[in-house]
Amino acid sequence: MAQGTITKVSGPLVVASGMEDADMFDVVRVGDLGLIGEIIEMRGGDASIQVYEETAGIGPGAPVVSTGAQLSVELGPGLIENIYDGIQRPLETMYEKVGPNITRGIQVPALDREKKWEFTPCVKAGDEVESGDVIGTVDETAVVKHKIMVPYPLRGQIVSIEAGSYTVDQKVAVLKLDSGEEKELTLMQKWPVRVGRPYKEKLVPDMPLITGQRVIDTMFPIAKGGVAAVPGPFGSGKTVVQHQLAKWADADIVVYIGCGERGNEMTDVLNEFPALKDPRTGESLMKRTVLIANTSDMPVAAREASIYTGITIAEYFRDMGYSVALMADSTSRWAEALREMSGRLEEMPGEEGYPAYLGSRLAQFYERAGRVRTLGSDDRIGALSAIGAVSPPGGDISEPVSQATLRIVKVFWCLSATLAHERHFPAIDWLQSYSLYVDRLTPWFEKNVNKEFPKLRAQALRLLQEEANLNEIVQLVGVDALSLEDRVKLDACKSIREDYLHQNAFHDIDTYSSMNKQYKMLKLILSYFDLAVDGVGKGAPFNKLETLPVKEKIGRFKYLEEDKVDGAYDSLMQELKDSIQALIAEEAENDD
């Protein structure tokens, strides 16, 4: 173990000499309190250390001791339902030990060493196993079966394995390696956070991550294993969008990282998630959630660690064959931490003071997402979808973090301050947002929703684009100057915007829309458009068309329970056709 001496302290950056035996990214203990730090630069025997705790009171001459290991996370039963800080220290355990204020230098194991877990083997002595093979399971919560896997890169023959109650660090099996050495296996394994966990192959993302949010699923879908960014100014609803995705997305496990956001937003998560009934299982949502909280008043340097800690835990559950949704709120705060450390290291700054390597660091994070065939002899497929919020100052997405993110991600949900001000939520701007997964996902939607669903989506987006152009004309010459067909178009677009794209996250029914409901509601609105255009062409008066009672019913379609959707759709479609036909017939009679 290398031991050095502090020569300089600059906020979260500490420089120590005499560290020739240490390596890059080694975890070190700084000062007499033993603060946790990580070596981020080596120059001869001088190590620059990023300290993940407050460095006040530490000065030159204090000792620095290397642990000889990289910053790693403990992976095993006990992760689910837990809330960790950025360096995987359990906040509840620390609260029990030292009260509400975290004491500097406190060391608490990430996984409870006392709790016993009921282990059920699924291999037997004499079986040949390789890295990633499942040797047994633990029922971690009522909804998550935790699979105990052979750690990478081990392979060999199981010598002994027994069912029973074990703590995470007790031996559950003995593995005889190909080299002849025997290795004890426990319920827990460790993994360095900066290294992506290995897999056999990355698969094409060809199925959507259904979220129940109409503007996302219909207009700008994300694939399972996909990456998305949610940039938007203060108050535009980034956090609510991420909460909705965490609650409703079609994922087995949710990893939520509060990276540098305000404490009250994490408090909302902590209060809401345990009380929320998971729609998939009927249990509390926390039964499949891991929380990582590194709020704005916690050490800035630990924001970087929190992002890597979160994605490593997410990869671990992906390796079990689960679909994992990772929410990072927000990567802008992480970038600010990079900027601060880069400045203190006196590196050459890039744009707006951010380090020149900002883009590559963001890419390294997002490329760890994906749908993969995992290690192991059984053919497991897991998916890790990463959704990062971006908080550009003043909502200006031309700033470096937003631009670097846009070059990497495939889905861009642009939140608009104007829409938020108009109380249109989710405030995703349909004219600026995009999804590059649409073509890949079209066959899935045609097969599993309806053959014409992709066409309806394209028609709705085209109408909204034309509406924006028409609105400019209306502002110049007034609505009366438009043709009847264009006025029908504006009326239909109003329904798409206000009835379809507007969704109430706090309404018991409207908070989630199934794909069947989304298709049928969109079909009703666009059928109104097609029939109304035909109607005005045959002489039906526009002022009567826009006040048809059936339009109000279509607008309220989103508040129907799922079991009433199909029946209501058939009757509304019939009523729509009859109403417009009646108007045409009435006009024809008047002409006679």
Side-chain angles (χ1 to χ4, degrees):
M1 279 207 287
Q3 177 155 355
T5 309
I6 293 176
T7 56
K8 173 186 169 185
V9 178
S10 171
L13 176 72
V14 167
V15 179
S17 61
M19 301 290 288
E20 289 86 351
D21 296 338
D23 293 316
M24 274 289 284
F25 300 124
D26 273 4
V27 173
V28 295
R29 293 285 175 181
V30 178
D32 298 323
L33 289 170
L35 308 186
I36 296 178
E38 183 183 20
I39 297 175
I40 54 172
E41 187 179 81
M42 291 290 292
R43 289 185 186 175
D46 290 349
S48 296
I49 297 158
Q50 177 169 266
V51 182
Y52 292 133
E53 300 182 74
E54 179 58 56
T55 56
I58 287 178
V64 172
V65 181
S66 168
T67 61
Q70 290 192 19
L71 185 65
S72 302
V73 286
E74 294 184 351
L75 303 168
L79 288 170
I80 302 285
E81 290 191 276
N82 226 323
I83 170 165
Y84 294 107
D85 73 353
I87 42 181
Q88 213 205 3
R89 297 182 301 183
L91 293 177
E92 279 189 37
T93 311
M94 287 201 288
Y95 177 79
E96 286 163 15
K97 268 194 161 186
V98 295
N101 296 316
I102 299 173
T103 309
R104 292 191 298 162
I106 183 172
Q107 295 186 41
V108 182
L111 298 176
D112 190 340
R113 297 294 194 265
E114 309 292 319
K115 186 167 182 181
K116 294 212 164 189
W117 300 92
E118 216 46 57
F119 172 71
T120 311
C122 51
V123 294
K124 59 188 185 302
D127 285 356
E128 293 285 337
V129 293
E130 58 181 85
S131 301
D133 275 347
V134 178
I135 58 167
T137 58
V138 166
D139 288 333
E140 185 168 358
T141 68
V143 297
V144 175
K145 193 174 277 296
H146 195 111
K147 298 171 185 174
I148 308 302
M149 298 173 289
V150 178
Y152 180 83
L154 306 182
R155 60 178 299 142
Q157 188 180 52
I158 296 286
V159 177
S160 66
I161 186 166
E162 278 185 47
S165 287
Y166 299 96
T167 60
V168 289
D169 53 356
Q170 282 181 324
K171 175 185 74 176
V172 296
V174 175
L175 179 67
K176 187 175 185 181
L177 306 182
D178 295 346
S179 63
E181 181 193 346
E182 291 199 348
K183 191 95 176 167
E184 293 185 352
L185 301 182
T186 63
L187 299 182
M188 175 184 88
Q189 52 177 284
K190 285 191 170 188
W191 191 265
V193 296
R194 291 180 185 274
V195 181
R197 284 177 64 86
Y199 48 82
K200 278 185 194 161
E201 67 169 313
K202 205 165 228 183
L203 305 170
V204 173
D206 57 5
M207 55 198 297
L209 181 72
I210 300 298
T211 66
Q213 311 306 300
R214 289 185 291 272
V215 66
I216 291 175
D217 292 343
T218 301
M219 303 298 184
F220 313 109
I222 177 175
K224 268 190 182 173
V227 287
V230 196
F234 174 78
S236 58
K238 289 187 298 296
T239 302
V240 174
V241 166
Q242 288 207 313
H243 286 196
Q244 283 295 93
L245 296 176
K247 291 174 202 170
W248 299 107
D250 175 26
D252 303 308
I253 309 285
V254 174
V255 179
Y256 192 99
I257 308 167
C259 172
E261 288 301 298
R262 293 179 305 286
N264 59 343
E265 294 187 357
M266 261 338 272
T267 309
D268 281 351
V269 174
L270 282 172
N271 287 336
E272 271 186 32
F273 282 24
L276 272 170
K277 195 173 172 186
D278 184 350
R280 305 177 63 190
T281 61
E283 297 280 342
S284 158
L285 187 63
M286 279 301 287
K287 299 278 183 202
R288 59 183 179 95
T289 303
V290 184
L291 294 176
I292 292 165
N294 194 85
T295 53
S296 51
D297 59 343
M298 286 170 153
V300 170
R303 291 177 188 177
E304 189 187 8
S306 68
I307 289 280
Y308 289 117
T309 299
I311 200 153
T312 307
I313 291 171
E315 284 177 330
Y316 175 63
F317 284 107
R318 174 208 70 192
D319 291 347
M320 294 181 198
Y322 289 128
S323 168
V324 186
L326 174 106
M327 314 291 157
D329 187 14
S330 92
T331 53
S332 293
R333 308 279 176 258
W334 167 39
E336 284 167 12
L338 288 179
R339 177 167 64 182
E340 173 161 346
M341 292 311 297
S342 174
R344 291 184 187 279
L345 285 166
E346 298 172 8
E347 294 172 337
M348 184 67 78
E351 196 181 347
E352 289 189 25
Y354 287 102
Y357 47 78
L358 172 67
S360 63
R361 286 286 175 89
L362 281 164
Q364 282 167 10
F365 167 69
Y366 281 113
E367 72 186 9
R368 287 171 71 171
R371 191 159 158 264
V372 304
R373 185 165 275 111
T374 67
L375 295 180
S377 46
D378 59 336
D379 198 29
R380 285 198 307 276
I381 290 175
L384 165 50
S385 314
I387 296 145
V390 185
S391 315
D396 173 20
I397 60 165
S398 64
E399 56 87 45
V401 184
S402 303
Q403 288 303 307
T405 305
L406 288 186
R407 284 195 288 273
I408 301 157
V409 299
K410 299 280 194 297
V411 180
F412 173 53
W413 298 317
C414 180
L415 295 174
S416 156
T418 311
L419 287 175
H421 187 68
E422 291 168 359
R423 293 288 178 266
H424 178 107
F425 292 107
I428 294 175
D429 188 332
W430 47 86
L431 299 176
Q432 291 196 59
S433 303
Y434 61 79
S435 168
L436 301 181
Y437 292 118
V438 170
D439 293 343
R440 282 251 160 90
L441 299 176
T442 294
W444 188 94
F445 283 118
E446 286 178 343
K447 184 182 173 191
N448 295 282
V449 182
N450 191 284
K451 201 87 179 135
E452 61 175 348
F453 183 73
K455 292 189 190 112
L456 294 178
R457 171 194 179 275
Q459 185 188 356
L461 277 174
R462 191 176 63 250
L463 286 175
L464 289 168
Q465 186 67 57
E466 289 169 7
E467 181 201 30
N469 300 335
L470 286 173
N471 279 335
E472 290 177 15
I473 297 169
V474 169
Q475 285 174 345
L476 288 171
V477 294
V479 72
D480 294 333
L482 294 180
S483 68
L484 286 175
E485 186 178 330
D486 282 345
R487 291 183 71 177
V488 168
K489 193 175 286 178
L490 286 180
D491 192 38
C493 285
K494 185 182 177 192
S495 183
I496 295 172
R497 284 187 289 105
E498 295 181 3
D499 298 331
Y500 193 79
L501 298 181
H502 185 283
Q503 191 165 353
N504 186 347
F506 301 101
H507 188 281
D508 288 348
I509 294 171
D510 193 34
T511 184
Y512 179 88
S513 270
S514 68
M515 286 313 300
N516 177 47
K517 190 177 188 179
Q518 292 186 39
Y519 159 67
K520 290 195 162 148
M521 187 173 178
L522 191 61
K523 176 72 175 166
L524 283 168
I525 293 170
L526 294 176
S527 295
Y528 162 74
F529 170 69
D530 294 335
L531 292 166
V533 167
D534 182 54
V536 292
K538 290 178 178 171
F542 173 71
N543 60 338
K544 287 188 177 175
L545 270 173
E546 69 175 344
T547 54
L548 281 175
V550 70
K551 277 187 64 198
E552 174 70 19
K553 293 179 187 171
I554 292 172
R556 301 199 66 75
F557 189 81
K558 60 184 176 184
Y559 300 120
L560 285 175
E561 285 99 345
E562 292 290 342
D563 55 352
K564 296 178 182 165
V565 164
D566 293 345
Y569 169 77
D570 294 335
S571 65
L572 278 174
M573 190 59 91
Q574 193 57 51
E575 188 179 342
L576 182 63
K577 288 174 182 170
D578 293 347
S579 303
I580 292 177
Q581 207 54 51
L583 282 179
I584 296 169
E586 186 186 319
E587 197 56 32
E589 274 179 34
N590 292 344
D591 288 349
D592 293 345

